[in-house]
Amino acid sequence: MRIAVLIPCYNEELTIGKVIADFRRELPDADIYVYDNNSRDRTADIARAAGAIVRREFRQGKGNVVRSMFRDIDADIYVMIDGDDTYPAEFVHDLIQPVAAGEADMSIGDRHSDGSYSSENKRPFHNFGNQFVKALINRLFRSQLRDIMTGYRVFNRRFAKTMPIQSEGFEIETEMTLHALDKRFRIIEIPIRYRDRPPGSESKLNTVSDGIRVLKTVFWIFKDYKPLAFFGTVALLFFIAGLAVGIPVITEFFASGRIAKMPSAILAVGLMVLATNSLTCGFILDTIVRNHRDNYELLQNEFKD
């Protein structure tokens, strides 16, 4: 099998050499690709000297890098890993095994099962954000995943070549997980150890801005993938608001035979119309999404590994 190790990088000169050496030791026959995303340090030079295939991605953002990787690189197995040396290379065999055996389309390096992420990661809001997004996605998609946002993943060719990537930044991991859940790809989680960045290596993540981007991604994908549930919820909110405004008007009408609160009556009717329109949009878009899923399944049937 052709194995490609994909390493998106931005200013990782302190760690990229070790990451490449570790994966070269574990996977001596694999092709190791480093996509430099406009680094201002010696990341590209060090990666090239370590024997990696170095390419440039000028559009800033991890999502843009992964999109180019999936388009440009042909392999049977894709290993995606960060260049910050937070994921031990020795676990790569455990992640590759179920994908290579045809038991999974994507395997995920689960950082949470052994507690290493909570103990090693020194950013408490990141831990909270991970848990919140995980609970939200598991609720929306009725799944039981333990690590939604890990950067240590292995894919087969089918997944890599048929996934439409919309994200530009660090929300790409969330998008991958949501896409796999919605399209019923087989996912297996493999417990791994996580270690924090070595001294001198700085994270590019921003808890607030990246957290907002991830939540926006979950919101839009929920709307696009489950429109009936989304617009049904919106319709329910409008319906409740319409009842709250309209019940006093109806009560007054039955008591006196006339309507004195005309503005409230107009508002209540407007809210009920919005509720009806939202529910109608939900049914129409749900039919479109179902047709899209059918077409995607047909595409999968025609895909040649």
Side-chain angles (χ1 to χ4, degrees):
M1 284 190 173
R2 296 171 299 167
I3 299 177
V5 179
L6 315 181
I7 311 177
C9 274
Y10 174 64
N11 292 342
E12 300 288 6
E13 65 177 6
L14 292 178
T15 55
I16 187 59
K18 181 178 183 300
V19 173
I20 294 171
D22 288 348
F23 277 89
R24 178 65 67 201
R25 181 187 67 247
E26 299 295 332
L27 301 171
D29 297 325
D31 294 322
I32 300 179
Y33 294 86
V34 171
Y35 272 57
D36 179 47
N37 196 204
N38 303 314
S39 295
R40 297 188 299 271
D41 59 10
R42 298 179 57 248
T43 294
D45 295 334
I46 294 173
R48 195 174 291 109
I53 302 169
V54 179
R55 295 178 179 173
R56 294 287 302 275
E57 173 53 58
F58 295 97
R59 295 169 297 179
Q60 197 66 40
K62 187 175 181 179
N64 291 322
V65 176
V66 174
R67 183 186 301 110
S68 294
M69 286 176 160
F70 283 0
R71 287 178 179 175
D72 298 344
I73 298 170
D74 285 320
D76 299 307
I77 302 291
Y78 297 80
V79 179
M80 191 177 79
I81 188 74
D82 291 338
D84 55 9
D85 195 32
T86 55
Y87 299 102
E90 55 266 26
F91 290 96
V92 71
H93 304 287
D94 297 331
L95 270 71
I96 288 177
Q97 192 277 327
V99 177
E103 299 170 0
D105 300 294
M106 176 173 66
S107 60
I108 297 175
D110 169 24
R111 303 164 295 176
H112 296 298
S113 289
D114 69 347
S116 59
Y117 185 78
S118 298
S119 61
E120 286 288 327
N121 184 26
K122 304 304 187 295
R123 296 158 294 182
F125 284 107
H126 277 258
N127 291 330
F128 170 77
N130 269 274
Q131 295 300 322
F132 176 76
V133 172
K134 178 181 70 173
L136 182 61
I137 291 177
N138 281 335
R139 177 85 175 193
L140 294 179
F141 289 87
R142 299 179 182 178
S143 58
Q144 296 180 339
L145 296 178
R146 297 183 296 271
D147 196 345
I148 301 291
M149 303 170 70
T150 178
Y152 201 174
R153 298 168 184 258
V154 174
F155 321 94
N156 60 16
R157 177 179 173 82
R158 179 184 298 272
F159 184 91
K161 292 300 183 182
T162 63
M163 178 182 173
I165 296 177
Q166 303 296 328
S167 302
E168 295 184 351
F170 282 100
E171 65 272 26
I172 178 62
E173 285 94 355
T174 306
E175 183 182 2
M176 287 179 175
T177 303
L178 292 173
H179 175 74
L181 290 171
D182 182 71
K183 297 302 186 295
R184 297 183 178 87
F185 281 104
R186 298 164 298 172
I187 306 172
I188 288 181
E189 291 185 294
I190 307 294
I192 63 168
R193 287 196 311 273
Y194 176 87
R195 57 194 177 212
D196 205 6
R197 285 172 170 267
S201 177
E202 297 183 359
S203 173
K204 286 75 178 177
L205 296 174
N206 181 286
T207 301
V208 177
S209 62
D210 288 324
I212 292 174
R213 294 181 71 175
V214 168
L215 289 178
K216 285 172 61 179
T217 299
V218 174
F219 174 83
W220 288 112
I221 290 181
F222 179 38
K223 177 183 69 69
D224 293 340
Y225 287 176
K226 293 185 174 295
L228 183 57
F230 179 86
F231 286 100
T233 302
V234 173
L236 179 61
L237 294 177
F238 280 130
F239 180 76
I240 293 173
L243 284 180
V245 175
I247 286 177
V249 176
I250 296 173
T251 302
E252 181 188 42
F253 175 77
F254 281 112
S256 64
R258 63 189 184 89
I259 297 176
K261 301 177 181 178
M262 189 59 65
S264 295
I266 295 174
L267 178 59
V269 171
L271 290 171
M272 289 301 181
V273 170
L274 289 175
T276 303
N277 288 344
S278 296
L279 190 60
T280 302
C281 288
F283 279 115
I284 294 173
L285 292 174
D286 185 67
T287 301
I288 294 174
V289 168
R290 286 177 182 273
N291 289 334
H292 174 73
R293 287 198 185 101
D294 290 342
N295 292 333
Y296 191 86
E297 288 295 327
L298 293 176
L299 174 65
Q300 294 293 311
N301 293 337
E302 296 173 0
F303 182 83
K304 302 297 183 183
D305 292 323

